[in-house]
């Protein structure tokens, strides 16, 4: 039997660490996301603080006359509404207020009411809350604070 040649020795060197190219973009992305979330929270806090300040001006709206949503009886509502705003009174050269959008939002809420919703004290308070929510949703730039009823008449 012939002598076999010794097996070659293969040296295994540890591989140098590969740079992690994905780490830097990931960290930058996380940092940008954190800054964005922080900025959003600051804006929300500022908006809430501004909306909870005192009423500085009032937006007068023309009287609404509409049918109430009552299938059992025919009923009409005549209501005067003014909206308390947290911003100072508009100057002559200021941008016009979105009165049409506000009236549309208010009409949508008012037209869905029934007679008993409007006649009770609790119903009027709930109506004010719903109207305020509608105005804030439709025209947040106004900074609506309060809803004031200047007249309220239900005719059956």
């Amino acid at each position: 039997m012939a002598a076999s040649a010794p097996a070659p020795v293969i040296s295994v060197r540890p591989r140098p660490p590969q740079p992690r190219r994905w780490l830097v973009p990931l960290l930058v992305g996380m940092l940008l996301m954190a800054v964005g979330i922080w900025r959003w929270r600051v804006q929300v806090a500022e908006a809430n603080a501004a909306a909870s300040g005192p009423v500085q001006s009032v937006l007068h709206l023309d009287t609404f006359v509409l049918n109430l949503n009552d299938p059992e009886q025919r009923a009409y509502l005549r209501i005067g509404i003014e909206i308390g705003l947290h911003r100072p009174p508009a100057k002559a050269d200021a941008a016009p207020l979105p009165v049409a959008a506000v009236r549309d939002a208010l009409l949508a809420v008012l037209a869905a009411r029934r007679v008993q919703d409007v006649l009770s004290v609790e119903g009027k308070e709930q109506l004010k809350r719903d109207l305020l929510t509608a105005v804030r949703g439709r025209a947040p730039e106004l900074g609506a604070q309060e809803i004031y009823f200047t007249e309220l008449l239900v005719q059956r």
Side-chain angles (χ1 to χ4, degrees), residues 9-23:
V9 176
I10 300 175
S11 68
V12 179
R13 282 187 260 157
R15 185 187 260 180
Q18 296 294 320
R20 294 191 172 125
R21 293 191 173 123
W22 54 268
L23 188 58

Side-chain angles (χ1 to χ4, degrees), residues 7-118:
V9 176
I10 300 175
S11 68
V12 179
R13 282 187 260 157
R15 185 187 260 180
Q18 296 294 320
R20 294 191 172 125
R21 293 191 173 123
W22 54 268
L23 188 58
V24 173
L26 177 68
L27 292 175
V28 169
M30 289 174 59
L31 179 66
L32 289 174
M33 188 169 53
V35 168
I37 290 171
W38 172 78
R39 181 68 185 138
W40 175 74
R41 291 188 63 163
V42 167
Q43 287 177 342
V44 168
E46 288 173 353
N48 288 340
S52 65
V55 172
Q56 295 182 9
S57 64
V58 176
L59 174 62
H60 172 75
L61 299 173
D62 292 333
T63 303
F64 293 86
V65 178
L66 63 136
N67 296 322
L68 289 173
N69 183 20
D70 204 338
E72 299 168 7
Q73 60 184 331
R74 201 174 219 177
Y76 303 98
L77 173 67
R78 178 183 169 113
I79 186 168
I81 297 176
E82 295 194 7
I83 304 172
L85 309 175
H86 83 276
R87 60 191 242 177
K91 297 178 183 171
D93 59 342
L97 298 173
V99 176
V102 169
R103 286 185 62 86
D104 181 60
L106 296 177
L107 277 171
V109 173
L110 291 169
R113 298 298 165 169
R114 299 175 59 128
V115 173
Q116 59 268 25
D117 297 339
V118 179

